[in-house]
Every structure is written in C-alpha cells, then in structure tokens.
Amino acid sequence: MEISENTLKKIQILKDKYASIGQDLDSYLDGLIYANPLAYWDYIEVDALLSLQKPKTDFPDEKIFIVYHQITELYFYLIQHELDQICRNGKIISEIGQDLGWNDKLDKDFFIARLKRCNMYFNTLTRSFDVMRLGMEKDQFTKFRMSLLSASGFQTASYRKIEISCTDLKYLVHENERKQLWDSDYHTQLDNIYWRRGAIVEGTGEKTLTLRDFENKYLDYFHEFADEYQPMNLWKKYKGLSEADQKDPELLKEMREIDVNVNINWPLVHYRTAVTYLARGKGESKGTGGTNWQKYLPPRFQRRIFYPELWSEEEIAEWGKKWVEEVLADGLKTESKLKDKI
Ligand code: HEM
C-alpha cells in the first residue's frame, strides 16, 4: 500500500513532537502495533463511576439522593472548568508544552462563549432539581437523612470555588460586615465570608459541627485558591476588557445571568426543596448540618450580588423578588404537569 503525502507529513510532525521531548518516534510506533483499540467502558470509567454510590441505609431513595449530589458535583466541576479558561485568557498548553491555542489577551467572544456554557450548566441544574424535590418519598428521606449527620451539601467546596472565581471577595462578605471590610485585603474578607456567619446553631449562635469540619478541611485551601483566582476572577477579567466590549449586550446578558443563576435561581430551587422535606406543620426540622436554614438559605436574606455595578438601584433593592415570583410560578406549572402524569 502506498503511503500518501499527507500521512508522510503527519509522520514528520510526530517525529518533531517526540524529538522535542527527547523521545524516539520508532519506539512509539512499535507501541502502536500492539496497542488495543479504546473501549467506551474504559474511557468513561463506567465501572468505577457506578461503584461510587455507597448508601448508609437500605432505603432505595437514598441512592437517588447520592447520585443527584454527584451529578451536581460534576456540573459544578464543568462550570469551574469553563471559569478557569476565562480566568486564564483561554491559554491552553499541553502537558509536554505544545501550544494548543493561545491568547495573551482575553478575547471577548471567547469570554461570552465560555460564560454561556456556565449559564447553560446552571440552567440544567436548576431545571433538574425536581429530581430531588419531587423524586423521593418524604417518608424515606426523613428516615435515611438521620444516618447522614453531620454531612450537608453546605460542605460543597466546588460551590465556594465558583463564587471565589466569579467575583471580588468584598461582594461575598456577610452583609453585616460588608461596608466595614470593603477596603480590607481579600484574606480578611474571606475570613468574613457570608457562609461562615450562616451555619450557626439557632439560639446559641455557636458554629455547627458541619461548619467546623468544613473549615478544618477547606479554609486553608480556600485561602490558597483565593491567592490564585482573586487577581484573575471573572469580574476583574470583565473590567479588563475595553469599554466598548464591556457594553456588549450579549456579554452583559451573560454576566447578569450568571449572577442570577448562582445567587438566586439555584439557591431558590434548593431552598424550595429544603422546605418540601424539612418544613412541618408546626415548625421546621433541622437540616443535617443543623443550621438555622429557614433564615440562612433564602436568597433574599443572603442578598449576595456578584456584580452590583451591572444592576440598577431598583433591581438591587428588589434583588431576587422578580425571579422568586417567576420561579415559583414556573414551579407550580411543572408540579401540576407532573401530577397529571402520575
Ligand atoms: C432533599 C434535598 C436537599 C435538602 C433537604 C437540602 C437541605 C439543605 C439545608 C437544610 C442546608 C443548610 C445547611 C444544613 O443545615 O444542613 C443546605 C445547604 C446547602 N446544600 Fe442542600 N439540600 C438538599 C440537596 C442538595 C443538593 C442536591 C446539593 C448539591 C450539591 C446541595 C447543596 C447545598 C449547598 C451548596 C448548601 C449551602 C448553601 C449556602 O451556603 O447558601 N443540597 N441544604
């Protein structure tokens, strides 16, 4: 069989690639002669993936609870993956130093395209939260959750990383201290981040075990993460664009959308789920993290806003209200549709 010009060119490229790291192409070609083709189950690691669900009880619905948390973690991971690319101006360098696409300056269209993906993932998560809200038997849930103390979704480090990558930490300081710490360094601001004030025991004001464990495991790491991401967070990247680019309607739409997704839409569907399972006729059950969740979780109480500059005073004053109404109205429709089907 004749070897085409094109194939010869590729062999030359491969020879150069291996030479650049002091390797000999011939040996790699020998390896190719014996290598097996790739199979789906090996590439996707299906067996490993399906061995990661380890319920603590025999209630069948606990599996749904675990799998949906894992799905969410994977989406958060993808969101971080996209944010990371924006923060690094879209630089891609392979492990052996090959240049796979390189921008020294952040390109506006790249920024928009990656941000769109983040919003798409968040929208998928928000829409699918009914898997939790309507997809488990309350009776099973109230029993198996008691085997999970003091673990809580509150301890999701990936959500905290997304926040740190999205904006300046001054915007995440608890509302009571925000003004006072506005000009502090970002480590002080991180030490006063809203969630460290939120997960406290109602009545005593002490930190919950959930919070203490979380801080022990991740607080130092979050400080290191902040060192890396605060100087190149999404807000800084946006402000680094030209004035004309900053006014691009598509970019503005995506920036506002991620603010609403992280700080209103997802927290809201999550909160509605907590209400579904934990609100009782005469009071509320505690979350597995033991927080005062009724006060802590609702977005209108937390009033976290990544990009206040992109909203009008009226929108800030009404933060969450309009969307609360929309989501609730939409939720009611979904609920009645689901009931029709069941
Ligand atoms: C039936 C389902 C769920 C219920 C009843 C629920 C309940 C709660 C409660 C009560 C809290 C406050 C902390 C505590 O006391 O434990 C909380 C926090 C949290 N949960 Fe969930 N949750 C559910 C599903 C999820 C899922 C699927 C995730 C995805 C990873 C998640 C992530 C979070 C996060 C990130 C927080 C902290 C929120 C914040 O700081 O604003 N939760 N959850």
Side-chain angles (χ1 to χ4, degrees):
M1 194 180 71
E2 209 176 299
I3 298 185
S4 72
E5 193 65 19
N6 200 14
T7 309
L8 285 172
K9 252 193 220 153
K10 284 184 184 158
I11 291 174
Q12 188 56 54
I13 292 172
L14 281 174
K15 214 175 165 78
D16 294 344
K17 169 184 165 175
Y18 286 108
S20 76
I21 51 169
Q23 299 285 295
D24 172 32
L25 173 63
D26 280 355
S27 315
Y28 282 83
L29 288 177
D30 281 344
L32 269 182
I33 292 172
Y34 305 111
N36 286 324
L38 188 61
Y40 168 84
W41 49 89
D42 285 331
Y43 182 57
I44 304 298
E45 294 271 15
V46 178
D47 290 343
L49 190 63
L50 301 184
S51 70
L52 296 175
Q53 297 70 38
K54 301 196 173 65
K56 300 280 175 219
T57 71
D58 293 326
F59 291 108
D61 286 3
E62 193 189 342
K63 206 163 256 185
I64 304 168
F65 189 70
I66 296 175
V67 170
Y68 189 74
H69 276 80
Q70 291 178 336
I71 289 170
T72 306
E73 284 290 343
L74 288 174
Y75 271 108
F76 285 165
Y77 184 73
L78 282 179
I79 291 161
Q80 187 62 48
H81 181 62
E82 298 304 327
L83 292 175
D84 193 65
Q85 291 180 61
I86 300 173
C87 294
R88 295 180 197 287
N89 299 347
K91 279 182 189 172
I92 316 169
I93 303 169
S94 79
E95 241 175 75
I96 59 165
Q98 277 173 301
D99 178 354
L100 302 178
W102 178 284
N103 294 315
D104 275 331
K105 218 164 142 275
L106 184 60
D107 175 62
K108 182 197 69 182
D109 293 335
F110 179 87
F111 195 155
I112 296 174
R114 293 303 179 276
L115 201 48
K116 268 187 188 221
R117 291 185 190 172
C118 295
N119 282 320
M120 177 175 66
Y121 297 144
F122 256 111
N123 287 330
T124 306
L125 282 176
T126 302
R127 276 198 302 271
S128 67
F129 218 96
D130 278 352
V131 173
M132 289 283 89
R133 198 169 62 89
L134 305 173
M136 296 182 294
E137 277 183 19
K138 191 168 174 177
D139 191 43
Q140 289 191 34
F141 177 81
T142 39
K143 290 188 175 117
F144 74 69
R145 67 188 281 273
M146 299 317 286
S147 319
L148 313 179
L149 308 174
S150 58
S152 165
F154 179 88
Q155 296 168 320
T156 307
S158 34
Y159 201 73
R160 313 305 182 195
K161 284 167 63 178
I162 289 171
E163 293 174 318
I164 297 173
S165 311
C166 275
T167 195
D168 289 345
L169 272 157
K170 63 184 177 202
Y171 296 116
L172 299 174
V173 168
H174 190 267
E175 218 185 1
N176 295 348
E177 283 102 33
R178 203 172 293 158
K179 249 194 190 153
Q180 194 189 327
L181 298 178
W182 195 250
D183 294 319
S184 306
D185 61 286
Y186 59 75
H187 287 296
T188 310
Q189 290 165 344
L190 177 55
D191 281 333
N192 290 280
I193 197 163
Y194 73 93
W195 49 260
R196 295 192 75 197
R197 299 282 176 281
I200 49 156
V201 182
E202 182 82 273
T204 67
E206 279 173 24
K207 288 182 181 185
T208 57
L209 174 61
T210 302
L211 176 58
R212 279 184 278 134
D213 280 350
F214 187 50
E215 287 180 350
N216 285 342
K217 177 146 174 75
Y218 286 114
L219 200 54
D220 287 348
Y221 169 73
F222 287 148
H223 278 282
E224 282 167 29
F225 189 81
D227 277 334
E228 192 176 357
Y229 280 84
Q230 277 296 284
M232 58 177 186
N233 71 52
L234 211 66
W235 180 237
K236 291 217 166 63
K237 288 288 153 185
Y238 172 79
K239 295 298 276 182
L241 295 173
S242 70
E243 281 196 14
D245 281 353
Q246 285 182 38
K247 287 191 187 130
D248 183 296
E250 218 184 345
L251 179 60
L252 271 173
K253 177 184 162 290
E254 295 303 323
M255 288 294 284
R256 286 159 59 106
E257 195 174 326
I258 195 155
D259 208 349
V260 169
N261 274 335
V262 185
N263 295 318
I264 299 179
N265 288 347
W266 189 87
L268 199 64
V269 285
H270 170 264
Y271 173 64
R272 288 179 70 210
T273 307
V275 172
T276 305
Y277 287 100
L278 302 178
R280 290 183 185 149
K282 288 184 200 133
E284 279 80 36
S285 296
K286 287 223 169 308
T288 47
T291 62
N292 51 348
W293 63 272
Q294 277 284 29
K295 283 203 185 126
Y296 172 64
L297 287 182
R300 68 177 181 282
F301 287 128
Q302 294 193 0
R303 290 181 53 77
R304 295 175 332 231
I305 307 176
F306 284 162
Y307 313 123
E309 257 185 53
L310 302 186
W311 301 98
S312 67
E313 271 180 33
E314 196 194 339
E315 284 167 325
I316 290 178
E318 301 276 285
W319 188 243
K321 210 170 149 201
K322 177 167 150 256
W323 292 279
V324 171
E325 284 157 9
E326 271 174 24
V327 171
L328 288 181
D330 191 46
L332 289 176
K333 267 189 248 152
T334 319
E335 211 161 331
S336 61
K337 262 188 227 152
L338 279 170
K339 275 188 188 142
D340 287 348
K341 278 192 185 158
I342 294 167

